[in-house]
Each structure stands twice: as C-alpha cells, then as structure tokens.
Amino acid sequence: AIARALAYNPGVLLMDEPFAALDALTRGEMQRLLAHVWRETRKTIVYVTHNVAEAVYLGDRVVVMTPHPGRVKAIVPVTLPRPRDPLSVEFLEQQKTLIAHLTRQEQT
C-alpha cells in the first residue's frame, strides 16, 4: 500500500494507524521500512498512531490531541538523531515526555 501511494508521487502521505493490525515483529519491520522511505524521499508524512514508541521512532514532531472533542493539546518536537535506537535512554525519556502530556489533566 505504501508503494502504491508513493507511485503517484504525492506531496504529502497521509497514514492513519497503518500498522495497528500487525504483529510486533512485522510492525517493527514496517516502521523501519517507512523510516527508510522517508530518508530516501523526504516526503511529508502525517502519521496517526496511539503507540507512543511508534510516534517517537517515526516522528519529528508529535501532536498530542485531547479526546472529545479532539483538539491540539501539545506539539512536542522529537530531536533524537536518526537512526533512532528504541532502547536508548534518550528514546525512553522522549516517551516519558509524551506520556506526561497524554496523562496531564487540563485545568477547568
């Protein structure tokens, strides 16, 4: 499906949870493939995921949304160098930052 989408040479690639139904090993391979495709094409990719580690692995900027109604809660830059090591302390710290934004309650 990624190859089909790229065949049209779009300016932006929109992906809504494309790897959600995959097993963990296949999901990891597809994440690495997508990172490789981005390095080669430098296409803008808007990627929707509920997986924090996936967002840190693939993203340069993560937009954290609120539930009902969906609004932008925070925009968090991911400044880790590529290729990213999901087992590094820096990677785990970036995940903690995102989780803090996700779990922080808004003041009413």
Side-chain angles (χ1 to χ4, degrees), residues 9-49:
N9 195 27
V12 177
L13 193 59
L14 304 174
M15 303 182 82
D16 187 2
E17 301 223 38
F19 307 147
L22 301 176
D23 64 88
L25 293 176
T26 305
R27 186 178 192 135
E29 284 296 315
M30 294 304 296
Q31 289 169 352
R32 285 186 288 281
L33 172 69
L34 185 59
H36 174 75
V37 166
W38 176 82
R39 275 192 310 275
E40 294 296 316
T41 66
R42 295 291 199 223
K43 295 279 184 195
T44 297
I45 301 173
V46 177
Y47 192 95
V48 177
T49 184

Side-chain angles (χ1 to χ4, degrees), residues 60-71:
D60 291 323
R61 226 174 1 257
V62 178
V63 178
V64 178
M65 303 291 292
T66 64
H68 314 296
R71 293 196 171 110

Side-chain angles (χ1 to χ4, degrees), residues 52 56 89-104:
V52 173
V56 172
V89 171
E90 296 82 10
F91 191 93
L92 298 174
E93 288 298 323
Q94 187 77 60
Q95 286 185 80
K96 283 183 189 178
T97 299
L98 280 178
I99 290 169
H101 284 287
L102 288 166
T103 58
R104 187 176 305 132

